[in-house]
Amino acid sequence: MPSPFGHSIAGLAVAWAADLVPGDRTWRAAPQGVSWYRRAGDGLSVVCALLAMTPDLDLAFTRHRTYTHSVGAVALVGLLAAVAGRRYAPRHAARIALMCAAAYASHMLLDWLGVDLYPPPGLQLFWPFDSGWYISGLDLFRQTRREHLFTWPVLAQNFLAIAQEMAILVPIAVALWLVRVKALARFAPEQSRRDHPAQ
Ligand SMILES: [Zn+2]
């Protein structure tokens, strides 16, 4: 199971990948000279990064990798994001809902691709329709440990796991960032006019 660092990068990558989907994306473009935060997609990109980490909050209150790691939870996140989107940005509610649901779902994809040494291995991916546990067996991401965090064996194991996650996910995120910069560049002048209608 990947670390929160790996999950957050995947969530960010999903937000940037979603900006490549055709449709009204002018509001996701940033005019020249603005902050990196805005160029990266501001609060919505941050929300996507956070949503990609949230399924593991179950560690604090229930059995791990059950309903928070399922298509049922993805649908609920999409629904809540649609409600929030309709309230704060009605014209973009559908895109916001899909982005948030996809960012949350990225957590399941990474967990499914990773090693899981805690039985039963995998996640209850199809809750509430099916209570089976699913895992790919591809072992793309190493096992991270969340107990005895500050002992040398755990530190070494987690360091190695995070290094491997970064080696896989950072190039993907960087590639998506570069493609996104190109794809949104043509919307930037329009966004600039929206920001400063008097000019
Ligand atoms: Zn998880």
Side-chain angles (χ1 to χ4, degrees):
M1 298 280 143
S3 72
F5 302 105
H7 283 302
S8 62
I9 290 174
L12 206 53
V14 166
W16 293 342
D19 288 334
L20 304 179
V21 177
D24 178 14
R25 294 169 287 164
T26 312
W27 59 289
R28 293 289 291 160
Q32 291 216 318
V34 298
S35 66
W36 277 99
Y37 173 68
R38 249 195 97 190
R39 291 183 65 196
D42 58 41
L44 186 53
S45 295
V46 174
V47 166
C48 286
L50 292 174
L51 278 173
M53 295 192 278
T54 45
D56 283 346
L57 289 178
D58 64 354
L59 284 160
F61 61 87
T62 181
R63 200 167 165 210
H64 190 34
R65 291 175 278 105
T66 57
Y67 47 84
T68 60
H69 287 61
S70 70
V71 290
V74 172
L76 184 66
V77 166
L79 199 70
L80 292 175
V83 170
R86 275 185 77 84
R87 189 180 164 92
Y88 298 107
R91 286 179 48 219
H92 314 303
R95 187 176 274 267
I96 290 170
L98 289 174
M99 272 173 96
C100 290
Y104 192 90
S106 74
H107 185 105
M108 271 51 90
L109 177 66
L110 262 58
D111 276 4
W112 181 73
L113 290 169
V115 175
D116 187 4
L117 301 176
Y118 296 91
L123 37 155
Q124 283 189 317
L125 203 51
F126 296 105
W127 180 89
F129 308 105
D130 173 19
S131 56
W133 297 77
Y134 295 87
I135 191 153
S136 68
L138 295 171
D139 298 352
L140 193 60
F141 300 103
R142 288 169 183 265
Q143 180 77 56
T144 52
R145 285 175 59 187
R146 286 154 195 197
E147 71 285 348
H148 309 298
L149 269 180
F150 298 104
T151 57
W152 280 115
V154 174
L155 281 172
Q157 185 172 338
N158 286 346
F159 178 80
L160 208 60
I162 292 169
Q164 184 165 327
E165 288 164 20
M166 296 299 134
I168 295 169
L169 295 169
V170 169
I172 294 172
V174 169
L176 284 166
W177 166 265
L178 293 173
V179 178
R180 178 182 177 274
V181 166
K182 257 190 149 47
L184 293 185
R186 63 196 166 102
F187 301 118
E190 199 179 325
Q191 183 60 32
S192 186
R193 277 196 298 279
R194 285 189 190 187
D195 279 10
H196 311 284
Q199 284 178 11

